[in-house]
Structure formats: structure tokens, C-alpha cells
Amino acid sequence: MSSTDTIPFGDAPDLRIPMPKSFARTSLPGRLLFGEGALDDLAHELDNARFRRAMLIVSSNQIVLAQRIRDALGSLLALEWTEVRQHVPAELADRCGASAASADVDVLVAIGGGSTIGLGKAVAVRTALPLVVVPTTYSGSEMTPIYGLTTGREKKTARDKAALPQIVIYDPQLLTGLPASIVGTSGLNALAHCAEAIWALNADPITDSLALDGASRLQRYLPMAYGTTDVAARGQVLVAACLAGTALGIVGTSLHHALCHLLGGMLEAPHAETHAILLPYVISYLQPAIPDAIGRLADAMGRQPHRLARDVWSLAQAVGTPPGLRAVGVREEQIEMVTAVALDKNIASPRPLTHEALQALLHAAWAGKDPQPG
Ligand code: NAD
């Protein structure tokens, strides 16, 4: 370029480049492996980290996965735990932790969805044993220091660095056996992580890029991952789930997760399905208060901001989300109880909550109708 050439700056308003937001954060530790067949590296990875006796945590209903990981662990397998339940009852974590402590194991290896990973995290916190995770759904839990425990009808979450895996192995092959119904709702769970990370008060430019890339991949690849067992599509959604979990693990949760946890803890509403059902209604409610965040999320997904709630609802329907909370065992008369507890808990929300607003949101999600009719 000669010295007389001018650089096209465009129109005057474009010259006002916004200063990136100031932020301070600690990056999360841990080693990640991603690749088809990456599970075959498990023993090598454990050996490199000088682990000798592994306690395997795998759900009793995962016969095929269990055999694959037993083979991958070989002589490092010292003990197996197969009792896994959603929302991790505290007494289950106690028993599993006691078993780990008495068996002289030096590492926990959890393979499965968020329930299995959640149990591994709770036990890692209790025993201070290092954790290795092989995720087989899109929960993204492996990337967050958050772990949940349920006592009675109350689910409480906590953050603890000891819950973060030392090694995560992502092998998209393992997700080719995941039933479509779980692919769809678990993918929406990942989208909810992206959305909540984008509108989090302490979001920063790094978490934004992670969450926006995650949302973009979910929009692009989730329908194919749902409709086929294509390993590349399921792998792309796995990358999205990792991005989503990483972003959320850094910034933390707000209204959407708080409502899902209440429904899960109080009414045993299934985790991924509840996220998938609720997300469009939460977007619709928050939109007037956070137009910039919704605009960026819509942009990443190639959608119009004013239609985002409806388009997320359509995506959720297209990937097999149950038609409303009524379809996952929630009774309409229970909405009042959930509303009262939610208001009592002073949930952090980017848009203030009122009794009427929360009732309207939950009734709409219960019915499962188009969130922006007309
Ligand atoms: P899940 O772990 O309960 O799995 C759902 C079902 O899918 C189970 O029956 C499981 O056995 C089956 N499954 C898993 N992988 C499979 C595979 N590859 N092939 C065939 N079947 C398979 O459900 P989830 O939605 O992954 O996790 C939900 C739990 O995770 C909840 O307790 C939730 O609170 C927690 N969670 C925590 C975080 C966090 O950051 N702490 C994030 C997301 C979810």
C-alpha cells in the first residue's frame, strides 16, 4: 500500500469502537483430549499422571459403555460403582465416597452423562481424590466446578475446584449410541448454558466468544446430530457442549438454571428436558431487559432477535423436546408452589421477578405453547 492510499474507515459511527469490558478471572485447570477413539488413550493418560488404582463410576444401565471403559482401563481398574441417580442424592454420594475411601483407589474415573459426572464430582470433593471424566451426553458438567446434591426435595449446588476433573476425554464415537431423544434435549441443555453465560452479569469477552461459538454450532449441527447418528455431527455438538460448560463454569448461573433446579429438586422434573422446555420462555421474559445479550445470541444463531424465543422453541420441538412441563410429570397446580419458593429464594435475574410474571412464565412453559404467538 502506498503512503497516499486511504484506509476505508466507513461511516463516522463505526469509528466509535467500544472499549472491551474490564475483567479479571482465573482460568480453569485440567487436560482435555478430543477425538474419535480418544477413549483408547485412557490408560496411557492415567499412567502418565501416575495413577495406579482407578474406581470406575458408570451407570448400571450402560452395559456397552461399561465394557468399553473396562477394556480401556485394563489392569488399572480396581473397583466399580454402578449406582447412579439423577440430581445426586447426598446419601448416595456419601456411600460412594466411603467405598472409594476404603478401597485404596488413587483416582476416580466417571463415564456417562451429567448424573454420573455429578456423582464423580461430589465424591471427588468428599474424598479429595482426583477425577477423570469421559462425558457421553451434552451436559457440559465436566467443564464446571459446580456440583449439585439433593437432600429430600431440595437440590443445592456448590462450587469447588476439587470438583473439576484433572483429565477430560471427549470421544464422539461414544455418543453415536445416545438415543435421539437424549441428543435433542441434552443439546438444548447446552444451548441454555450458552444463553445463560451470555446474559450473566460477570460475562467477559472470552466467555462471550465461547458461548456464542457454542450456540452457533448447536444451531448448525444439533438437528443433524438428532436426526442421524453421524459421528461428526454428534462430535460438533460435543464441542459445543464443552464450550457451553466452560463459559458457564466461569461465569455462573441465573434465572434459567435456578428455575430448572427448583423444578428438578422439588418435583423431580428431568434435567435436560426441563432445560429444553423452559429456555424459550425464559428468553421471551428476559428479552426486554437484555436486548444486547439477546441480539448477540440471535446473531450467533443466525436468527432475528425479536423472533429468538420462538425460533429456539421451534428448534426444541424439532429435536424432540416434550411439549411442555405438563409432559414431564409437572401438575399445573404445582406452579403456585414453585413460584412461591422461587420468589422466597430471591433468585438472581437480569429482569426483576414478580409473582405475576413468574406465574405467567411457568404456566406458558407448562402448556408448552409457542412463546410468541401471533
Ligand atoms: P443423565 O446423566 O441422567 O443421562 C440421561 C440418560 O442417558 C441416562 O439414562 C444415561 O444412562 C443415558 N446415557 C448417557 N450417556 C449415554 C450414551 N452414550 N448412550 C446411551 N445412553 C446414555 O442426564 P444428563 O442430562 O446428562 O445430566 C443430568 C444431570 O447432570 C443433572 O443432575 C444435572 O443437575 C447435572 N448437570 C450438572 C451440570 C454442572 O455444571 N454441574 C451441568 C449440566 C448437568
Side-chain angles (χ1 to χ4, degrees):
M1 182 183 285
S2 80
S3 59
T4 54
D5 286 338
T6 54
I7 299 167
F9 283 118
D11 296 329
D14 292 339
L15 288 172
R16 289 198 301 272
I17 298 171
M19 173 58 84
K21 184 181 157 185
S22 303
F23 64 93
R25 66 181 177 86
T26 308
S27 291
L28 303 175
R31 176 168 164 77
L32 295 189
L33 275 82
F34 183 98
E36 256 194 282
L39 183 62
D40 296 340
D41 294 336
L42 176 63
H44 179 66
E45 287 291 326
L46 294 186
D47 203 42
N48 273 351
R50 304 198 181 287
F51 296 132
R52 294 286 170 261
R53 289 175 56 78
M55 177 183 191
L56 171 61
I57 304 177
V58 58
S59 169
S60 56
N61 71 1
Q62 292 306 320
I63 314 274
V64 176
L65 280 180
Q67 193 49 50
R68 290 200 54 184
I69 195 155
R70 273 184 217 118
D71 293 344
L73 279 168
S75 61
L76 294 170
L77 177 59
L79 175 69
E80 201 169 311
W81 182 276
T82 58
E83 186 181 345
V84 171
R85 303 219 314 265
Q86 254 200 14
H87 306 306
V88 194
E91 64 77 27
L92 175 64
D94 289 339
R95 279 191 288 117
C96 185
S99 177
S102 65
D104 193 27
V105 298
D106 58 9
V107 64
L108 306 165
V109 177
I111 181 169
S115 301
T116 311
I117 299 169
L119 178 59
K121 289 164 95 173
V123 174
V125 170
R126 278 166 160 64
T127 60
L129 282 165
L131 176 65
V132 173
V133 167
V134 184
T136 64
T137 69
Y138 300 124
S139 79
S141 172
E142 67 282 355
M143 297 309 294
T144 84
I146 305 162
Y147 68 103
L149 283 171
T150 307
T151 309
R153 294 212 161 266
E154 192 176 14
K155 179 169 179 175
K156 282 196 175 147
T157 57
R159 293 176 78 93
D160 194 320
K161 268 197 226 156
L164 277 171
Q166 185 165 323
I167 303 171
V168 177
I169 297 186
Y170 287 111
D171 185 343
Q173 262 176 15
L174 303 176
L175 284 93
T176 55
L178 193 60
S181 58
I182 300 177
V183 171
T185 52
S186 192
L188 259 295
N189 186 188
L191 184 59
H193 292 169
C194 295
E196 198 121 292
I198 289 163
W199 64 58
L201 273 180
N202 57 342
D204 64 48
I206 314 298
T207 57
D208 269 2
S209 352
L210 296 167
L212 292 170
D213 187 2
S216 163
R217 284 178 202 256
L218 285 161
Q219 173 70 43
R220 223 172 329 149
Y221 301 114
L222 184 58
M224 177 139 176
Y226 171 78
T228 73
T229 57
D230 182 83
V231 69
R234 291 195 171 193
Q236 287 286 357
V237 178
L238 194 54
V239 171
C242 170
L243 293 165
T246 308
L248 192 76
I250 295 167
V251 298
T253 61
S254 67
L255 175 63
H256 176 81
H257 275 74
L259 291 178
C260 290
H261 284 175
L262 278 185
L263 290 160
M266 291 172 69
L267 308 176
E268 288 186 38
H271 182 83
E273 289 89 335
T274 304
H275 273 270
I277 293 167
L278 227 57
L279 184 60
Y281 306 97
V282 175
I283 291 175
S284 177
Y285 177 67
L286 294 183
Q287 185 149 19
I290 47 168
D292 177 58
I294 297 290
R296 282 180 293 124
L297 177 59
D299 199 39
M301 295 177 70
R303 310 281 112 190
Q304 295 295 320
H306 68 280
R307 283 189 52 98
L308 185 64
R310 171 180 287 174
D311 287 346
V312 168
W313 178 77
S314 299
L315 174 65
Q317 300 306 300
V319 298
T321 297
L325 292 173
R326 67 192 162 87
V328 293
V330 176
R331 297 197 313 276
E332 195 167 17
E333 61 270 23
Q334 292 174 316
I335 289 176
E336 178 55 49
M337 179 175 66
V338 176
T339 304
V341 175
L343 289 173
D344 194 46
K345 282 189 177 296
N346 258 331
I347 289 172
S349 168
R351 184 178 175 192
L353 292 174
T354 62
H355 186 271
E356 293 69 31
L358 203 45
Q359 285 258 304
L361 190 164
L362 289 170
H363 275 288
W366 182 84
K369 300 251 168 62
D370 181 342
Q372 290 172 316

